[in-house]
Amino acid sequence: MNTPTGPAVPGSPGGPPDGSAAPGEPLLSVRGLKVHFPIRKGVLLQRVTGYVRAVDGVDLDVGRGMTYGLVGESGCGKSTLGKAVLRLVEPTAGTVRFNGVDVAGQSREGMRRLRRHMQMVFQDPLASLDPRQSVESVLSEPLRAHGFAGDRSRRVRELLDLVGLPAGAAARYPHEFSGGQRQRVGIARAIALNPELIIADEPVSALDVSIQAQIVNLLEDLQDQLGLTYVVVAHDLAVVRHVSDVIGVMYLGALVEEASSDELYAQPLHPYTIALMSAIPIPDPEVEERRRRILLTGDLPSPVDVPPGCRFHTRCPFRQPTRCADESPDLREMRPGRKVACHWAEEIAAGAIRAAASAHDPTATEVGTPSS
Amino acid sequence: MRPVNPASRGSLLEVEDLSVVFRQRGRADVRAVDGVSFSVSPGETVGLVGESGCGKSVTSLAIMGLLPKRGVRVEGGVSFDGTDLLSLPPDKLRLLRGRDLAIVFQDPMTSLNPVVPIGTQVTEVLTRHRGLSNGEAREEAADLLRRVGIPDPSRRLREYPHQLSGGMRQRALIAAALACRPRLLIADEPTTALDVTIQAQILELLKTLVAESGTALILITHDLGVVAGTCDTVHVMYGGRIVERAPRHELFAEPRHPYTGGLLASVPRLDQPRGVRLQPIEGSPRDVIPWARGCAFAPRCPNRVEECTPVAPELLGDRHGLRCVNPLRSDQPATKAVPR
């Protein structure tokens, strides 16, 4: 799975202009990406009264054949970021380079051609499959649209085989499948045109626990077989850690930490990551009893009104009287391969600053006023 | 012969051989719950665990008497502090519900009335069951909201559900459920719709509640991680029946039913090394056979043997109950470490 060498861009018609991608350059490179949604008021004039800053300046690189995991809680902008990479929502600012090609600069037709190399797997397979389309029709549509030269029904059977569905599934309709099988159809559709990059938005969270593992394993197998590059967007850090090489943790539209999957687990550096990891239940009572849980105070602030200074300071159990409230921390490289956006990461890692909130005091959970 | 439930000493709620049958016109009846027995003592947390369709939520609705009368047949016994809830007339049951029995559902938006302020929904319980005046009830409600960690409670009482975040709403719902200091609280997937950091807050709140007031808690969930940190006794359900039952530590240290073991092996653990391939359970929860024709899990079971059909195994064992003819051996680890 960690093979850094994927297949070269197929030189088929409709391939991206094989641009300036130097060897060793990441397949996907995002710089300063912002997606702001305007909030309009008024009937006639539609004045813009503010912006939802869903994605607020994100830089990231995804190497060929790697899996980049994007985690965060609802409303942190992780799904919007995934869509902005494919230009399914239009970025407000910043650049996305795929295989050396500037995605934002593409014309409509250029974008259509580019998309065969970058595909998406959605969370809810029932909602993302047309109920009136048979699986055969679902899977042959992208082949038709992109002028696939070979035998389409043979390719459909090949795809079904790749995702572990029987050939007889082609004649059936989405409602005839279980959730796990439907997600297999969604994955088959995504790989139909041999893409290089797949963005999977919560690929397993709508499935029963016993089924989740089947889909996780399938995604891993396909990556090995087809040399795919993944961006996996999910809220479940245990799943993301399992599949990803590198993980980016998002909070309120920005990356607050980025590290290799193993290092992130071994030592989370950002206070939000520390709290997030401590909140994830582990199915082992012995471990659960030994763990120290860091409870966050209050709820996620609105992305319309992002707190000044560090965006996490209103809930941060490690908040300090200086810098946090008025100075916005950059995502900086603390040591090689470890990026963190916190002024006090070194002190927290060294144990010089400790979390303030008590884990067993329910009254400590108050919005915006961390007990100190 | 049904095995005697070991925890029935001093128990507050006893569920005996509970079955729920949904009748469908022109189709075979569906037995959603099929002979479920368990008990809960004051101050105890009991977990009902299973995937969608295993009957865990229908069990809780049957206990609360919240299933529709038409087209549904409820059999067996549910005894709350000596009172048989199933034969209780509706008005008597309504007196118990809200006062002694309370339930919190998964989705706080659908269980709160969207056009009624939060305050009214909490005080309603207090005026109705504890006979408080409106003023007293408001004070008490503000106090309850504060207890569940809602800041500025008197302002929140005037707000409507849509003005609160998901975590706040779930806390408001818990506050309403706690208003009359119920002796039994059923929490049906109380944190499934919430983010993990909020989930941690709510679970901590429930734990505090059980420890401080001796409330008996039934926690219904699909998440084994939630169970591991909260429940004293765990009942694992599959196809409407309990397939394994054990004290928490025992269940996780030595799962015996292949379904329990399979569930544990199929979820990635945050504290496990990467590169360990997950062991999924084959098939889907749809692939069940009726218990009348053998073990419902047999079609998906890695340990399947001939004896699994056509006679379904009984739930045997006092402390560690098990419904399986070929359980996992202790040298057959639930989480097999197969390098990728």
Side-chain angles (χ1 to χ4, degrees):
Chain A
M1 170 171 164
N2 297 350
T3 41
T5 48
V9 186
S12 52
D18 199 11
S20 42
E25 192 185 326
L27 179 68
L28 179 72
S29 180
V30 174
R31 287 291 171 272
L33 190 71
K34 288 186 183 180
V35 183
H36 291 183
F37 297 108
I39 304 167
R40 294 178 201 277
K41 271 225 174 97
V43 184
L44 271 179
L45 289 172
Q46 295 267 301
R47 282 174 305 118
V48 173
T49 57
Y51 288 94
V52 176
R53 291 152 72 182
V55 179
D56 206 14
V58 168
D59 296 349
L60 58 87
D61 290 316
V62 185
R64 229 174 250 286
M66 307 292 268
T67 301
Y68 190 100
L70 211 47
V71 285
E73 295 182 289
S74 43
C76 74
K78 56 190 191 299
S79 291
T80 307
L81 175 56
K83 286 180 186 155
V85 166
L86 297 185
R87 258 178 87 191
L88 295 174
V89 295
E90 208 58 49
T92 312
T95 59
V96 175
R97 291 181 79 78
F98 172 73
N99 214 4
V101 176
D102 180 20
V103 174
Q106 295 295 314
S107 64
R108 237 181 115 85
E109 177 58 20
M111 203 57 228
R112 196 184 75 82
R113 289 183 183 195
L114 202 56
R115 283 218 179 95
R116 64 175 293 184
H117 301 282
M118 32 200 324
Q119 287 287 322
M120 186 127 185
V121 172
F122 295 94
Q123 169 173 2
D124 182 354
L126 195 56
S128 59
L129 296 172
D130 186 336
R132 292 164 302 179
Q133 248 185 322
S134 70
V135 168
E136 168 104 46
S137 155
V138 166
L139 296 183
S140 50
E141 188 167 288
L143 300 176
R144 237 185 350 257
H146 287 274
F148 179 78
D151 181 348
R152 281 205 292 266
S153 69
R154 197 165 131 201
R155 176 67 181 155
V156 167
R157 284 198 303 279
E158 222 173 81
L159 287 168
L160 290 174
D161 187 50
L162 270 172
V163 298
L165 287 173
R172 287 155 69 193
Y173 287 83
H175 74 269
E176 297 177 68
F177 296 96
S178 66
Q181 289 171 322
R182 259 180 235 137
Q183 194 57 296
R184 286 174 197 268
V185 175
I187 292 170
R189 175 176 63 183
I191 61 171
L193 293 160
N194 266 323
E196 289 184 83
L197 174 71
I198 285 188
I199 297 187
D201 190 358
E202 301 276 8
V204 299
S205 55
L207 306 173
D208 261 320
V209 268
S210 70
I211 308 300
Q212 290 191 0
Q214 296 177 5
I215 298 299
V216 166
N217 286 351
L218 174 66
L219 286 171
E220 288 179 345
D221 292 343
L222 289 174
Q223 185 168 44
D224 287 345
Q225 286 174 41
L226 308 173
L228 295 167
T229 305
Y230 289 140
V231 173
V232 176
V233 177
H235 71 280
D236 186 338
L237 190 48
V239 168
V240 170
R241 174 179 132 82
H242 184 83
V243 298
S244 308
D245 301 297
V246 178
I247 295 178
V249 182
M250 274 187 89
Y251 184 79
L252 221 54
L255 280 178
V256 294
E257 182 164 4
E258 188 187 87
S260 80
S261 178
D262 288 327
E263 282 187 272
L264 189 77
Y265 174 71
Q267 193 187 24
L269 294 173
H270 194 279
Y272 178 63
T273 319
I274 297 171
L276 189 63
M277 293 241 262
S278 85
I280 293 166
I282 289 177
D284 185 339
E286 313 280 335
V287 177
E288 280 291 304
E289 277 163 21
R290 279 200 316 269
R291 293 172 90 198
R292 179 151 180 262
R293 196 144 272 163
I294 295 169
L295 287 188
L296 281 187
T297 52
D299 297 308
L300 194 72
S302 161
V304 178
D305 204 4
V306 177
C310 170
R311 53 191 69 227
F312 185 57
H313 85 269
T314 54
R315 299 171 78 197
C316 182
F318 296 88
R319 183 169 72 146
Q320 294 302 299
T322 55
R323 300 185 78 186
C324 296
D326 44 47
E327 195 183 326
S328 175
D330 290 325
L331 185 68
R332 63 196 166 94
E333 190 152 36
M334 190 169 127
R335 6 180 225 269
R338 295 300 309 257
K339 289 185 189 161
V340 59
C342 174
H343 298 302
W344 305 97
E346 283 84 356
E347 287 81 355
I348 292 168
I353 298 176
R354 289 177 188 283
S358 148
H360 292 281
D361 182 6
T363 54
T365 53
E366 291 196 7
V367 170
T369 53
S371 47
S372 47
Chain B
M1 196 197 86
R2 209 167 43 240
V4 183
N5 198 328
S8 54
R9 280 159 278 128
S11 58
L12 180 67
L13 179 83
E14 283 190 49
V15 176
E16 276 290 304
D17 205 12
L18 181 74
S19 292
V20 179
V21 181
F22 290 94
R23 288 192 296 265
Q24 295 176 305
R25 194 191 298 251
R27 274 198 277 173
D29 291 355
V30 174
R31 224 165 232 279
V33 177
D34 194 2
V36 163
S37 304
F38 66 94
S39 66
V40 195
S41 306
E44 189 190 17
T45 303
V46 164
L48 294 185
V49 188
E51 295 177 283
S52 45
C54 75
K56 54 192 194 301
S57 292
V58 175
T59 302
S60 72
L61 293 175
I63 293 170
M64 295 292 288
L66 290 173
L67 288 167
K69 294 279 171 286
R70 286 172 65 118
V72 181
R73 201 168 69 238
V74 180
E75 296 158 357
V78 176
S79 150
F80 175 77
D81 202 13
T83 313
D84 180 18
L85 295 183
L86 294 186
S87 61
L88 214 60
D91 54 328
K92 292 257 171 56
L93 187 59
R94 210 172 298 132
L95 280 179
L96 274 182
R97 264 198 316 246
R99 194 183 65 201
D100 291 326
L101 309 167
I103 186 162
V104 177
F105 295 103
Q106 170 175 350
D107 182 358
M109 202 56 200
T110 50
S111 17
L112 286 168
N113 188 336
V115 295
V116 175
I118 296 290
T120 314
Q121 303 192 48
V122 180
T123 51
E124 189 185 13
V125 197
L126 294 163
T127 48
R128 185 173 181 97
H129 289 292
R130 280 173 50 193
L132 298 185
S133 72
N134 281 338
E136 288 168 335
R138 276 204 102 67
E139 259 172 51
E140 176 86 24
D143 197 50
L144 279 163
L145 256 50
R146 196 173 299 114
R147 266 193 66 202
V148 297
I150 296 182
D152 199 0
S154 15
R155 180 171 62 92
R156 292 294 183 186
L157 283 174
R158 290 191 298 272
E159 293 189 340
Y160 290 86
H162 75 268
Q163 292 171 287
L164 273 62
S165 67
M168 287 282 186
R169 269 183 232 138
Q170 193 60 296
R171 273 179 273 189
L173 208 60
I174 291 175
L178 301 184
C180 292
R181 303 180 196 112
R183 295 159 71 199
L184 174 73
L185 176 66
I186 301 180
D188 188 351
E189 302 269 12
T191 56
T192 307
L194 307 175
D195 280 322
V196 275
T197 55
I198 308 294
Q199 164 170 291
Q201 294 173 0
I202 301 284
L203 292 178
E204 211 54 56
L205 174 69
L206 288 176
K207 274 197 253 181
T208 313
L209 170 79
V210 169
E212 281 176 1
S213 57
T215 304
L217 176 65
I218 300 178
L219 187 66
I220 296 173
T221 179
H222 69 281
D223 188 336
L224 288 163
V226 167
V227 171
T230 49
C231 298
D232 300 305
T233 311
V234 187
H235 303 268
V236 181
M237 290 184 71
Y238 192 82
R241 289 193 182 182
I242 292 171
V243 294
E244 184 163 17
R245 168 189 66 217
R248 160 174 67 139
H249 285 274
E250 223 172 294
L251 187 84
F252 283 91
E254 208 180 322
R256 311 250 3 248
H257 198 285
Y259 178 61
T260 317
L263 277 183
L264 282 168
S266 60
V267 289
R269 279 175 56 161
L270 199 56
D271 61 339
Q272 247 173 12
R274 282 182 71 230
V276 173
R277 193 170 167 87
L278 301 179
Q279 302 285 311
I281 301 176
E282 295 308 320
S284 85
R286 280 184 171 190
D287 309 324
V288 287
I289 58 170
W291 286 101
R293 301 217 319 261
C295 174
F297 186 59
R300 304 175 69 192
C301 184
N303 271 25
R304 181 179 53 239
V305 287
E306 259 179 43
E307 293 78 50
C308 295
T309 50
V311 181
E314 293 286 314
L315 184 65
L316 298 174
D318 279 354
R319 196 180 142 76
H320 193 148
L322 180 67
R323 187 191 294 279
C324 185
V325 289
N326 187 24
L328 300 172
R329 299 175 308 273
S330 45
D331 61 333
Q332 185 185 354
T335 348
K336 270 182 284 182
V338 179
R340 285 182 58 209

